[in-house]
Amino acid sequence: MTQAHNALAMQQAIQDQIARHALLGDILDSIIKMVAQQLPSARISLMMLDSEDGTLSLTAGHGLSDGYCRALQRLPVGPAIGACGVSAYNRDVVITENIEQDPNWVPFLQYTRAEGVASCWSAPVLTSNHELLGTFAIYHHYPRSPSLQERSLLIQSAGLLALAIARQRDRQALAWNEQRFRSLFTHHPDAVFELDLQGYLLDANRALTQITGFSLEQIKGRHYEQFMAEENKARAREAFEQVCEGQPQRYELTAYNANGERYWLDVTNLPIMVDGRVMGIYGIGRDITLQQAQAAELHLLKRGIEATPNAGREHTLLVI
C-alpha cells in the first residue's frame, strides 16, 4: 500500500470512529498516529478554547513535556500570540517557519527553547458554521515550512478534530436535554404520559399511577379508552384525531381508578413533532376531582337557596 493510500485509509478509519461515537481521546490518538506516521519527528498539540474567557489551553499533546503543557494555559486569542493565538484570531492556518525569528513568539521563547522546538504550524479547529473550538498544531525541532501535502494533512487533522469535538458536544447536549426532560416527566406533579399514534400508552410518570391506582406495568401497553368513562370516549377520540394532525387539544374527562372510583381529569394533549411529522402524543392530566366536587356542592347550595323564598334575605330584629 502506498503512503497516500495508507493515509487515506487512516483518515477513513478515523471518520468511522467518529461515526461510531468513539471516545474523543481515542479519536485524538488516531489522528496523532496518522500525523506521526507521515511526520515521524513531529510534536503535536491540541489547544481548546474556553468560550467563557476566550483563552486557549493546551489540553492534549504528543511529544511535548508536561512543563510545556503547563506553560501554554489560558493564552489569549490575539493577532500577536504565537502561532495558535494568531490562528484562532484569524480563523486561518498560520505557519511559523522559525520561532526564533518571529516576534509573536518572543513571550514564549523561554519555553520553546527549553522544549527544543523551532517551528510551528497551526490550524484552527472550526465547526461547520465557523465556530472556533481550538487549534491543532504541529511542531518540529528545526526551522521548516510545510509542503502542500503536509499543509493538507494539518488542515485535514484539524477538520477531523472539529467533527469529533462537535459530535461529542452534540451528544452531551442531547444527553443533558434527555435528562432534563426525564426529570420533568418523572417529577411533574400532574400526570404525564406518552401515547403512540394508535392510542396505546408507552410511558407514564408516578403521578398517573397515583391517580389511577394502577402500576406502570398495568398502564403501559393499554389503550387510553380503557381508563375512561363511556360517555367521554367520543370526545376523547375526536381530540385524539385532532392531535394526530398536529393540533394541541385540551378537554375534561371522567375515568375510574383501580378501585372503581370515579375521578375527573383536565387533559392537555400535545403532538410530538419530528421533522414536521407527528410521531406520537404527550398527555398532561391534572386531577380536578376535588374542584368538581366543590363546584357540585356550590351548585346544590345555590339551588337550595333559590328554592327557599326567604333564604338570603336580610332581617332586622327590633328590640324595644
Side-chain angles (χ1 to χ4, degrees):
M1 182 180 291
T2 66
Q3 184 176 358
H5 286 166
N6 189 40
L8 184 61
M10 295 188 73
Q11 183 177 341
Q12 182 60 55
I14 294 169
Q15 291 173 336
D16 291 342
Q17 279 185 291
I18 296 172
R20 296 195 313 268
H21 307 301
L23 295 176
L24 181 60
D26 293 340
I27 296 171
L28 178 59
D29 287 343
S30 296
I31 293 173
I32 289 173
K33 183 178 179 181
M34 179 180 71
V35 174
Q37 189 175 61
Q38 298 182 58
L39 300 170
S41 63
R43 305 183 190 183
I44 299 166
S45 76
L46 169 63
M47 300 192 75
M48 294 295 294
L49 178 73
D50 185 329
S51 58
E52 292 187 2
D53 62 10
T55 62
L56 292 168
S57 292
L58 202 160
T59 57
H62 168 71
L64 297 170
S65 68
D66 292 340
Y68 190 77
C69 293
R70 285 194 298 270
L72 269 65
Q73 298 295 312
R74 308 191 75 79
L75 301 184
V77 172
I81 308 297
C84 293
V86 178
S87 176
Y89 183 79
N90 292 330
R91 305 290 205 277
D92 201 359
V93 173
V94 171
I95 304 299
T96 301
E97 180 179 358
N98 191 331
I99 288 175
E100 290 285 338
Q101 297 177 1
D102 191 333
N104 292 342
W105 281 89
V106 170
F108 310 104
L109 288 179
Q110 59 177 317
Y111 306 114
T112 58
R113 287 169 181 170
E115 194 68 16
V117 291
S119 62
C120 179
W121 316 333
S122 182
V125 178
L126 302 170
T127 65
S128 58
N129 60 359
H130 218 60
E131 176 190 356
L132 179 69
L133 300 175
T135 60
F136 182 76
I138 297 175
Y139 292 86
H140 287 279
H141 64 275
Y142 56 94
R144 63 166 296 191
S145 294
S147 65
L148 290 177
Q149 183 179 350
E150 291 167 342
R151 186 184 181 94
S152 176
L153 174 65
L154 173 70
I155 294 172
Q156 288 174 355
S157 300
L160 288 170
L161 269 173
L163 182 58
I165 294 170
R167 286 286 183 88
Q168 182 190 58
R169 190 171 61 176
D170 289 344
R171 290 197 304 275
Q172 289 173 340
L174 179 60
W176 171 242
N177 287 334
E178 288 177 347
Q179 290 172 17
R180 287 195 302 173
F181 170 76
R182 176 51 58 180
S183 180
L184 177 63
F185 186 94
T186 302
H187 301 294
H188 198 291
D190 294 329
V192 182
F193 52 93
E194 181 181 353
L195 301 166
D196 65 17
L197 295 181
Q198 286 71 49
Y200 290 94
L201 285 143
L202 301 176
D203 201 1
N205 69 348
R206 187 183 302 113
L208 184 62
T209 65
Q210 292 172 340
I211 291 171
T212 65
F214 294 103
S215 68
L216 182 59
E217 291 72 21
Q218 292 172 314
I219 290 172
K220 290 175 68 173
R222 296 176 66 180
H223 199 275
Y224 70 86
E225 288 190 3
Q226 294 179 252
F227 295 94
M228 65 177 57
E230 188 66 35
E231 63 268 22
N232 296 137
K233 291 182 179 179
R235 173 68 184 95
R237 288 188 200 117
E238 179 185 355
F240 186 80
E241 291 173 1
Q242 292 295 315
V243 77
C244 284
E245 305 234 343
Q247 302 176 33
Q249 298 291 306
R250 183 177 179 181
Y251 55 96
E252 294 179 0
L253 62 81
T254 55
Y256 296 93
N257 63 22
N259 296 324
E261 299 167 337
R262 185 185 181 98
Y263 62 90
W264 283 84
L265 281 182
D266 181 336
V267 178
T268 299
N269 287 145
L270 303 170
I272 302 173
M273 306 294 294
V274 179
D275 295 330
R277 295 178 57 194
V278 179
M279 304 301 292
I281 296 168
Y282 284 132
I284 302 173
R286 185 165 57 89
D287 189 348
I288 57 171
T289 306
L290 180 59
Q291 293 93 315
Q292 290 291 337
Q294 291 173 341
E297 289 178 5
L298 183 61
H299 179 68
L300 289 173
L301 179 61
K302 183 178 179 181
R303 289 187 59 184
I305 292 174
E306 291 174 349
T308 305
N310 294 325
R313 294 183 183 177
E314 293 184 0
H315 297 276
T316 302
L317 177 64
L318 179 63
V319 179
I320 300 177

